[in-house]
Amino acid sequence: MSAKRQWALVCVAVVALVAALVGCTHLFTGSRVPTLLLGEVTITADRGQILLSAKNMPDGGLASVAVTLGGIIYDVAKIDNVSVEGLSGFEVPAQQFAGGNGGFVLVHPSAGLPAGAFAKITFDATGDPTLADFAFSKGDISLADDSYHAVSFQLQDEYAYYAK
Amino acid sequence: MMRRRTSLAALAITAVVGLTVYAAGTLSGQSWCGVTLDPSVGFTCLDLGVDVSYTLGGVALGTDSLFLVPGLWVWQGFTASGYLGGFGIDGSLLLGGSPAAFLFAEAIASLSLSGIDFALHAAQLGAAVHGGPANGAAIRLAGSLGACDVVSTTEFGVQIEDEDFGGISIVHAATGRARHYLSDPRGANEGFTGQKVRVSHTGFCHGGEATATAYLRCGAFEYASLRLEDLSLANLAWLAVDAEFMLKVQSKSVIVSPKLVLGDSACLQLYAGPVPTASGTGVDSVRIYGLELTCEIGRVTLRDVTRFEPHEVGLTTEPYGSRLLLVREILAKGLDYYPDYWQLLSVSYGGEGCCDGTYGLLVNSYFDTASTTLFDWAMLHAEATVPLGDSISLGLGLEIGPVGVIHLQCSCTMEW
């Protein structure tokens, strides 16, 4: 086969591959809705942890989170000594966990987080608690972006992985 | 009878090809394992991996695993790469462990021809990943026009990692562990989604580099930027300046970082930026965000990084280079950083070890104003790589805080 034919074949293959990929694009549409993701409980020794992550946050990213007291309900028979810790530079000006009810405020002092983990809830685990032993009430959770605008979001706990 | 002959012929051909390939090529590779210990809770993580290289035609295959204790298989990664003359292809595949699922696949085909580098990126994100399913492709062309280097990226639903865009990370939601890839499929319905053109010129203004970038998305202008690096004046050889001008639809920004070049082995870099007036139309003053002093003495490198504006700039973690960056940039690029530490003192040492191996030692010491220890000391991060023989090397990682050991990591790499 001559060199010209080889190059022609390579060009045709490349164009066909691109066309096929572009043509199939309508089959793949990822979600762009601002999302608060709850990670599954991980337990090491007797200390449990839940990671809270944000994704698709608009206008400079997630800058503050407020969960009113009772916005998180947990099973006190399995979960005790709960606290929340900020990640990615988020600070925790207020938090309260008592009697199976919890709430907290998280604020980033200087910027917003477009996507990634922003907090972790840690607790003493008895037995084998899972995320099902926590109830997060979406109506009691408020998010704001870096421009101080409230963010309408979805609460998601079904995905073990996310892309950022 | 015909079927039997066909089967025998196929078997014979497979055996002949296999033996030929086995005789012609050599099999080599690398395997490693890493153990992470958290002294407060014990054994927490196990990294396992194997890279297999087959020299015939430059083909290399690899796979790696990540397990967390107790019994959580986070993922299984596969890689393949092959080169033949100017043509190359790299592929990556990531599968979820528990639950088992397709997570991500990426293929990069590249071709160098007459001074032009052509690359086709194709990527697909699985439905098991939040943000997916998505897929797409991008074409990257790079070449030189006179003294200028030109890079053109045409996007069909995929953004490629470069200086302005950080690629894609697949994150395990429960643990925060992440895998990074170059091609980010955005999964929009439209075919053509964006065009980026970057023109850079080296030797600009006494050895500096100027880079101009314009980025258009499918429906709108995204940004234009001009980045100047290592600019110096003929009579001021001790001074070099980095600057970046960024224009977006509704904003513009300027970042200026002067550097004092103190001979060949030392450099002092100032991180500063203009403070706008209340009206936002002028410059009121210049604010210094941080300072970095680097000094190289033989095989030893000393670094001192200090930040003055804790809310504006942050110190990235060691995997991200321990650099001083704007917090806004750190979060936008998805990097990890220390929000509390105001100073880093670092010593690194490296060289040739026994048996053709290389050894390395890095000790970072961090300081925090909230710390109650001597000199505000807050954390020590140490890494060491020690070759033990021709094919074995050990790696050690350690983090110590005022309360004791925070993190301990041991790894062993074997080449065969």
Side-chain angles (χ1 to χ4, degrees):
Chain A
M1 191 181 288
S2 70
K4 277 187 179 178
R5 279 191 178 182
Q6 284 180 340
W7 279 116
L9 275 177
V10 169
C11 291
V12 168
V14 168
V15 170
L17 179 59
V18 172
L21 287 168
V22 172
C24 292
T25 305
H26 69 283
L27 300 174
F28 304 94
T29 52
S31 168
R32 294 276 171 247
V33 179
T35 305
L36 180 61
L37 289 136
L38 307 175
E40 184 49 83
V41 169
T42 57
I43 299 172
T44 311
D46 57 354
R47 193 73 182 155
Q49 171 184 295
I50 298 173
L51 272 189
L52 307 182
S53 305
K55 187 165 160 41
N56 300 329
M57 290 296 153
D59 290 336
L62 178 68
S64 62
V65 181
V67 182
T68 54
L69 189 61
I72 300 174
I73 299 172
Y74 53 92
D75 184 352
V76 290
K78 296 180 178 176
I79 296 151
D80 190 23
N81 195 17
V82 185
S83 65
V84 66
E85 180 185 332
L87 302 174
S88 302
F90 274 83
E91 295 173 355
V92 191
Q95 61 173 312
Q96 187 176 348
F97 291 90
N101 291 287
F104 56 83
V105 175
L106 282 160
V107 178
H108 199 288
S110 60
L113 179 72
F118 63 88
K120 67 177 176 184
I121 298 172
T122 57
F123 52 90
D124 289 340
T126 305
D128 194 12
T130 66
L131 198 56
D133 294 310
F134 286 84
F136 288 79
S137 169
K138 182 173 177 287
D140 290 319
I141 303 173
S142 305
L143 308 184
D145 64 27
D146 197 31
S147 306
Y148 311 109
H149 296 136
V151 175
S152 176
F153 68 100
Q154 64 177 6
L155 191 62
Q156 187 61 257
D157 61 2
E158 295 170 4
Y159 286 89
Y161 306 89
Y162 68 93
K164 70 169 186 175
Chain B
M1 180 64 80
M2 189 65 184
R3 182 178 293 173
R4 192 178 168 191
R5 281 183 185 171
T6 309
S7 302
L8 282 172
L11 189 64
I13 291 169
T14 306
V16 169
V17 170
L19 287 171
T20 306
V21 165
Y22 180 73
T26 51
L27 200 64
S28 63
Q30 187 185 65
S31 57
W32 72 90
C33 69
V35 175
T36 302
L37 299 168
D38 182 341
S40 62
V41 292
F43 170 45
T44 60
C45 178
L46 178 65
D47 279 282
L48 294 170
V50 57
D51 271 336
V52 180
S53 295
Y54 195 70
T55 55
L56 186 71
V59 176
L61 304 169
T63 183
D64 62 275
S65 312
L66 175 63
F67 295 93
L68 297 179
V69 176
L72 178 62
W73 184 12
V74 177
W75 47 46
Q76 184 73 37
F78 298 91
T79 58
S81 62
Y83 294 90
L84 190 61
F87 179 76
I89 188 158
D90 290 282
S92 299
L93 173 67
L94 185 66
L95 303 176
S98 46
F102 164 71
L103 303 180
F104 185 79
E106 176 186 61
I108 304 169
S110 56
L111 178 68
S112 294
L113 188 69
S114 304
I116 297 176
D117 296 326
F118 169 91
L120 171 68
H121 290 240
Q124 185 168 334
L125 189 64
V129 183
H130 186 270
N135 84 339
I139 296 170
R140 183 181 185 275
L141 289 167
S144 297
L145 284 173
C148 293
D149 295 326
V150 182
V151 178
S152 164
T153 307
T154 306
E155 299 171 351
F156 298 94
V158 159
Q159 282 188 304
I160 304 174
E161 180 177 294
D162 58 19
E163 284 140 346
D164 300 323
F165 176 69
I168 184 173
S169 292
I170 311 297
V171 186
H172 186 238
T175 61
R177 294 293 295 257
R179 291 285 296 253
H180 188 76
Y181 297 95
L182 298 176
S183 314
D184 183 4
R186 291 303 177 110
N189 278 332
E190 63 267 41
F192 170 75
T193 53
Q195 175 68 41
K196 184 183 283 186
V197 177
R198 180 189 303 269
V199 180
S200 58
H201 176 66
T202 49
F204 179 80
C205 198
H206 303 285
E209 180 174 358
T211 305
T213 307
Y215 184 32
L216 301 168
R217 297 302 300 273
C218 196
F221 165 79
E222 190 77 8
Y223 66 82
S225 69
L226 177 63
R227 187 172 289 141
L228 306 170
E229 292 178 45
D230 293 328
L231 296 186
S232 60
L233 300 174
N235 298 327
L236 295 171
W238 48 271
L239 179 66
V241 175
D242 290 349
E244 183 185 87
F245 306 90
M246 176 73 78
L247 295 170
K248 294 185 176 178
V249 175
Q250 291 186 326
S251 66
K252 60 178 181 293
S253 63
V254 180
I255 299 171
V256 179
S257 301
K259 290 186 283 192
L260 295 178
V261 182
L262 308 172
D264 292 334
S265 60
C267 181
L268 183 67
Q269 183 160 9
L270 203 62
Y271 296 89
V275 179
T277 56
S279 63
T281 55
V283 175
D284 185 44
S285 60
V286 173
R287 179 177 291 171
I288 297 172
Y289 297 123
L291 199 65
E292 177 176 345
L293 176 65
T294 307
C295 183
E296 292 180 13
I297 306 168
R299 292 175 174 177
V300 179
T301 302
L302 303 171
R303 284 180 75 212
D304 169 22
V305 184
T306 307
R307 65 171 188 166
F308 304 126
E309 294 281 347
H311 291 159
E312 294 294 331
V313 292
L315 197 57
T316 62
T317 57
E318 185 55 35
Y320 297 101
S322 295
R323 292 181 297 154
L324 209 55
L325 294 174
L326 289 171
V327 172
R328 199 169 296 277
E329 184 183 350
I330 290 171
L331 295 181
K333 290 184 174 177
L335 313 179
D336 290 330
Y337 78 109
Y338 297 117
D340 300 322
Y341 302 151
W342 65 275
Q343 190 173 42
L344 158 70
L345 294 178
S346 172
V347 181
S348 62
Y349 180 68
E352 293 176 4
C354 81
C355 330
D356 296 329
T358 56
Y359 62 88
L361 175 67
L362 171 77
V363 179
N364 288 350
S365 198
Y366 297 91
F367 299 85
D368 182 0
T369 51
S371 174
T372 55
T373 57
L374 187 66
F375 305 130
D376 289 343
W377 175 77
M379 201 257 283
L380 183 134
H381 171 102
E383 295 175 14
T385 308
V386 183
L388 292 182
D390 286 339
S391 57
I392 300 179
S393 65
L394 284 181
L396 294 169
L398 177 69
E399 286 188 351
I400 301 174
V403 294
V405 177
I406 302 167
H407 180 82
L408 178 63
Q409 186 171 20
C410 308
S411 64
C412 178
T413 303
M414 295 173 62
E415 292 179 20
W416 39 270

